[in-house]
Amino acid sequence: MLQERLNWRYATKKMDPSKSVPEEKVEAILEAIRLAPTSSGLQPFEVIVVTDPEVRAKLKDAAFDQEQLVDGSHLLVFAAWDNYTEARIDGVVTETGKARGGVTEALTGYYDRLKGMYLPRPEEVNFEHAARQAYIGLGLALTAAAFEEVDSTPMEGFEPEKFDEILGLRERGLRSVAIMPLGYRDAEGDWLNGQAKVRRDADKFITRIDAA
Amino acid sequence: MLQERLNWRYATKKMDPSKSVPEEKVEAILEAIRLAPTSSGLQPFEVIVVTDPEVRAKLKDAAFDQEQLVDGSHLLVFAAWDNYTEARIDGVVTETGKARGGVTEALTGYYDRLKGMYLPRPEEVNFEHAARQAYIGLGLALTAAAFEEVDSTPMEGFEPEKFDEILGLRERGLRSVAIMPLGYRDAEGDWLNGQAKVRRDADKFITRIDAA
């Protein structure tokens, strides 16, 4: 089931600009991203969903003119926290307390130890850690899109500083790390459609360490 | 369907040591990881599957004694490439040519440009880039486990240098970045089983930019 969906999907190179992804499918994809687990439950990223054609045109200029940004109907921008802060970690403690019937000593103890580890670290180390968590979300997003029979293109080929500028991310403590247009493939116009999927053979990808 | 599986799964804290994950389920999980898309198709990571109890006992000592490493039946170690090299990128060109009927000029041109960007960068930048890709694989792994009704615990709480040493990863140009025990929850013994899932509300996680 999952495997079949993963084989169906591919990094769509040409989308049909006449087709729009229904909002309920976009919602399902966003919900999968929101459910993605992250380190210590921090969810250290946000998702910006851009449909505005003018904004997407500007973003396309900052993404090496890749047409999927405007030919798709929705553009997802994954924006990681620029750093960990006391307030952000306290927010997680509060939310956890709310969901699980109160802020316990074990809960605050855990996150106090986390603060002790994360807050003294260089901002760039914390950002990289947050970015990795955003990539779990990216994995969920592309999987969810495949389940919704929506085409998508996970992309790093864009200029993050320009995206941050256009979307006003830095003042919100966010930095764009990956983007994903959603839309429907232009089956005729996409050179990659129908091409074999390329993956290393399992024996070059997986090592087993079993008891002798 | 996907959403239901994502709500079912949780970071299992206590696994039942008497239960083993059937090999066909492990294979399905590994295949989902192998199908994970990565930047420019590089697949810059490998997966080590450890069942050997003695090796897992050593790894547990390097993972703050977390019991899932030995109470599960399989331990997945995600190990990212320590750097990009000409040989590694050439390997991708060769595989792509094999799968798609020949090495074209467009293909070599694309990867030559990639080499021009990646090879001069500091090793740590390339490693971080590779690590992010491994996290897409981690996202697929935890999703696939949920589909197979297998419990899992995505983890960063381990000492990567010790893991690399025990598994002989550095001499293979690999560095461990995340681990994931597979097994079956000890429903009675796991304090986290049945607890509410904690996620930020959608309105604190998602921003929409629609045309006015």
Side-chain angles (χ1 to χ4, degrees):
Chain A
M1 165 60 78
L2 173 64
Q3 211 171 104
E4 189 272 323
R5 298 321 300 157
L6 291 176
N7 275 305
W8 173 83
R9 67 154 298 283
Y10 73 111
T12 305
K13 300 299 179 194
K14 176 75 183 145
M15 288 179 174
D16 181 342
S18 73
K19 293 184 184 158
S20 261
V21 181
E23 283 300 327
E24 69 268 20
K25 286 179 182 279
V26 176
E27 287 305 315
I29 295 164
L30 294 172
E31 180 62 6
I33 304 170
R34 201 180 69 93
L35 288 172
T38 53
S39 189
S40 298
L42 293 175
Q43 294 184 285
F45 67 99
E46 297 191 17
V47 180
I48 324 297
V49 185
V50 190
T51 61
D52 188 321
E54 283 179 30
V55 178
R56 284 193 289 143
K58 276 188 221 165
L59 294 172
K60 171 175 167 268
D61 288 343
F64 310 105
D65 220 35
Q66 294 177 91
E67 300 284 347
Q68 303 99 311
L69 272 79
V70 294
D71 288 347
S73 60
H74 295 71
L75 175 68
L76 308 188
V77 178
F78 291 79
W81 288 358
D82 58 357
N83 201 355
Y84 291 120
T85 65
E86 179 141 35
R88 281 171 158 171
I89 295 177
D90 285 341
V92 177
V93 175
T94 305
E95 289 301 316
T96 306
K98 261 195 249 174
R100 294 188 180 156
V103 172
T104 62
E105 235 170 89
L107 180 63
T108 51
Y110 179 86
Y111 284 100
D112 282 347
R113 283 190 297 280
L114 205 70
K115 286 180 195 172
M117 280 197 293
Y118 288 4
L119 300 188
R121 295 196 304 200
E123 173 168 342
E124 202 60 26
V125 171
N126 284 334
F127 165 68
E128 278 300 337
H129 183 262
R132 290 186 188 185
Q133 313 308 314
Y135 273 64
I136 301 176
L138 182 66
L140 268 294
L142 63 91
T143 306
F147 270 95
E148 297 296 330
E149 300 184 34
V150 168
D151 284 305
S152 71
T153 321
M155 287 182 176
E156 292 178 342
F158 66 99
E159 299 175 81
E161 297 78 10
K162 290 190 185 166
F163 266 59
D164 296 350
E165 173 81 29
I166 294 165
L167 300 172
L169 295 179
R170 289 312 295 261
E171 48 267 44
R172 296 169 57 191
L174 299 170
R175 293 169 65 181
S176 54
V177 296
I179 63 175
M180 197 174 92
L182 299 174
Y184 291 101
R185 63 187 73 175
D186 173 350
E188 305 292 294
D190 189 345
W191 65 270
L192 192 53
N193 184 29
Q195 291 268 357
K197 197 177 282 300
V198 182
R199 296 291 185 269
R200 284 208 304 287
D201 289 340
D203 63 359
K204 287 179 189 153
F205 187 63
I206 290 151
T207 308
R208 298 276 314 209
I209 303 184
D210 299 313
Chain B
M1 165 61 80
L2 173 62
Q3 212 172 102
E4 189 271 323
R5 297 322 299 156
L6 290 175
N7 276 305
W8 173 83
R9 66 152 299 283
Y10 73 110
T12 305
K13 299 301 177 191
K14 176 75 184 148
M15 290 180 174
D16 181 343
S18 74
K19 292 182 184 160
S20 260
V21 180
E23 283 299 329
E24 69 267 21
K25 286 180 181 280
V26 177
E27 287 304 317
I29 295 164
L30 294 172
E31 181 62 5
I33 305 170
R34 201 179 70 92
L35 289 172
T38 53
S39 189
S40 298
L42 293 176
Q43 294 184 285
F45 67 97
E46 297 192 17
V47 181
I48 323 296
V49 185
V50 190
T51 60
D52 188 321
E54 282 179 31
V55 177
R56 284 193 290 143
K58 276 188 218 164
L59 294 172
K60 172 175 167 267
D61 288 342
F64 310 104
D65 220 36
Q66 292 176 92
E67 298 284 346
Q68 304 99 310
L69 273 80
V70 294
D71 287 347
S73 59
H74 296 71
L75 175 69
L76 308 189
V77 178
F78 291 80
W81 289 357
D82 59 357
N83 201 354
Y84 291 120
T85 65
E86 180 141 32
R88 280 172 158 169
I89 295 176
D90 285 341
V92 176
V93 175
T94 304
E95 289 300 317
T96 306
K98 261 195 247 174
R100 295 186 180 158
V103 173
T104 62
E105 236 170 87
L107 179 65
T108 51
Y110 179 88
Y111 283 101
D112 281 348
R113 284 190 296 279
L114 205 70
K115 285 179 196 171
M117 278 198 294
Y118 287 4
L119 301 187
R121 294 197 305 202
E123 173 167 342
E124 201 61 24
V125 171
N126 283 334
F127 164 67
E128 278 300 337
H129 184 262
R132 291 185 187 186
Q133 314 308 315
Y135 272 63
I136 301 175
L138 183 64
L140 268 293
L142 62 92
T143 305
F147 270 95
E148 297 296 331
E149 299 183 37
V150 167
D151 284 306
S152 70
T153 320
M155 287 181 177
E156 291 179 341
F158 67 98
E159 298 174 83
E161 298 77 12
K162 289 191 185 166
F163 266 60
D164 296 352
E165 173 81 31
I166 294 165
L167 299 172
L169 296 179
R170 291 310 296 260
E171 49 267 44
R172 295 169 58 191
L174 299 170
R175 293 170 64 181
S176 52
V177 295
I179 63 175
M180 198 174 91
L182 298 174
Y184 291 102
R185 65 187 72 174
D186 173 351
E188 304 293 295
D190 189 344
W191 66 269
L192 193 54
N193 184 30
Q195 292 269 356
K197 197 177 282 299
V198 183
R199 296 291 187 270
R200 282 208 304 286
D201 289 341
D203 63 358
K204 288 180 189 153
F205 186 63
I206 292 150
T207 308
R208 298 274 317 208
I209 303 183
D210 299 316

